[in-house]
Amino acid sequence: MMQISTPFMPEKGVIRSIVPMAQDNYLFEFKTDTDRLAACKPGQFVELWVPGVGECPISVCSGRVTESIQLLVRRVGRVTNALFQMSEGDWAGLRGPYGHGFPVERYKGQNLCMVAGGLGIAPIRSLWQYVLDHRQDFGKVILIYGMRHSDEMLFREELKLLLQRGDIHVFLAADDATVCELPPFAMQVGRVTDMIRQAAIDHDFQVAICGPPVMYKYVIEELKAKHVTDQNIWLSLERQMKCGIGKCGHCFIGGRFTCQAGPVFQLADLKFVPELIECDNGGAQ
Amino acid sequence: MMDHCFVLAKDSFAEFFESLSKLGRVYAPVKVSDQSYSFRQVESHEQIAFEALRTILPPKKYFYPTQETILRYNDVQIEEHKPEIDFQILFGVHPCDLAGLGIMDTIFTAGPADSHYLNRRQSSLIVGLSCMPDKHCFCQSMGTDCPESGYDLFLTDIGDDYLLEVRTAAGVKAVDPIMPLLRAAGQDDESRYKAFWSNRAQAFTNGFKPDNLRSVMAMEWDNKIWDEMADRCLSCGNCTPVCPTCYCFDLVDIASLNGTSGERRREWDSCQFVGFAQVAADYNFRPGPVDRLKFWYRHKLHGFDDPFGFQTCVGCGRCTVSCPAGIDDIVSVVQALQATNQAKTKHDAN
């Protein structure tokens, strides 16, 4: 009988550039020989493999994936530590793209607000790049980015350019800031929730959110106060997505594979989901 | 009468076995200790333990080994590992395990399909065998007591004979050489067949009713029963390898000493292990035994929310007999949850 091929085969991605970002974050650009990854949508993820060490899921960070793909990686574990030892010209394995990203087709013709907390900026960047590439398809566009300390700001240069554009409204907030920001940067001391209060968001906005688990609940509360409905709130959730293809079981939320049903979920679709620690919307009651 | 039904005299079983073993290696339940059975390779029909109910591990191990190589790499290339797969015959698979294999098939066939499982699955013949339940069996409650699919041949013990059901083209091919041993089933055989399954249906004693199981699991998510059980849970993970439908795995790299080559391997994993749902930066989505235990129970009894929607417990009772803390007594746990659920419903009604 004809044997089928493994779904776990990565393709080689040669590191084209490594750009150190704030703190322990590097932006890696990989070039692959095939166009498998060119189908990447904002909010999807790939499995990044460092041979001999292991694999980990990383969000797609670039809105335009053609012959190369950008991944923002924070050094936090075994695989990322090993990746940080690599240089331009070395190769790692890439599998994907996997999961459901932000529903950009659905956002078209509507106002969009993007909310990122900390490292959540990585998938949100793929979304804003996509949106700005197709700017005429969208209504008002707002970007809100919060971080613990102004030193931790990622994509500082790119955000400066965004601040200069007239067609995207950018709010930046840090819990704590270095007093003498050099060069001066238009940001506020506060949290993403404070920025949401300031921003001109109302019920007809679609909202895309990605950040640490603790952030979602408060962001959703603020959005509800602005009459944004559950149908218009989209959350990108983090789980241990080991295989990426709905088999290994590590990324289960209740009875669903995050890697297949998500990682981007519509809030309305998360009603009655136990194990959803990100917001009070879940629970099985 | 059903299609392709024959009668095989028990006296002729040796020849039937000989014929099967010409097709490939035969694996069947073998007695390995006073109280345990295990699927092992058998050379002779005399090694088979026909009385075996639940083996230590379910037959999933023949399609989904505890560990297997997925690919090999060196500093220039990555290559898929494609082992030679010999044809194998699994004899003596009971209805609960057939249902378990059916669930595994669904999961591993859903796209993208898992080649490692399916290539082995397609290279095998499954011969089911009827059984009489003991006190831990509750396949009847889970609706998996009558074999519906997942087998090529099925033998029902009807006294001095077996009623042999041929289900698939592979099954037809397998019985072809022994056709002279078989005779068409007559009315008396049909009666004996019906009597067997009717008696078997009466033999389930635990009275477990899975009514509204999904909603009970949902409503009782915060029940204190979970905390009481979790206080005793050792997080040993015994309940998962023994389950016919537990398929969770880990992918690991085994590097050579010089670091330039190695292989990527898949190993069985368990949702009961502390790091199972842990993500980078040590954030754990299921930090306590109670989180992990509840998750497992929910996955078995409430099942998938999507994409499949079905429950994944087949009522084999393996978890119940292999839990060292005695907390995987699914029947008692669900009955307790149902009782609190009923009490709450009554209270709400008042």
Side-chain angles (χ1 to χ4, degrees), chain A residues 64-99:
Chain A
R64 292 173 290 271
V65 181
T66 48
E67 82 284 9
S68 72
I69 184 169
Q70 289 182 334
L71 303 176
L72 178 73
V73 182
R74 174 172 290 178
R75 179 160 59 179
V76 281
R78 252 170 1 100
V79 178
T80 51
N81 255 310
L83 185 72
F84 272 52
Q85 307 299 318
M86 297 171 92
S87 316
E88 278 127 345
D90 291 345
W91 64 268
L94 293 171
R95 278 197 294 131
Y98 294 128

Side-chain angles (χ1 to χ4, degrees), chain B residues 13-15 17-18 42-50:
Chain B
F13 184 81
E15 285 138 295
F17 179 85
E18 281 307 310
V42 288
E43 309 275 340
S44 144
H45 73 280
E46 284 161 351
Q47 290 171 269
I48 301 173
F50 288 89

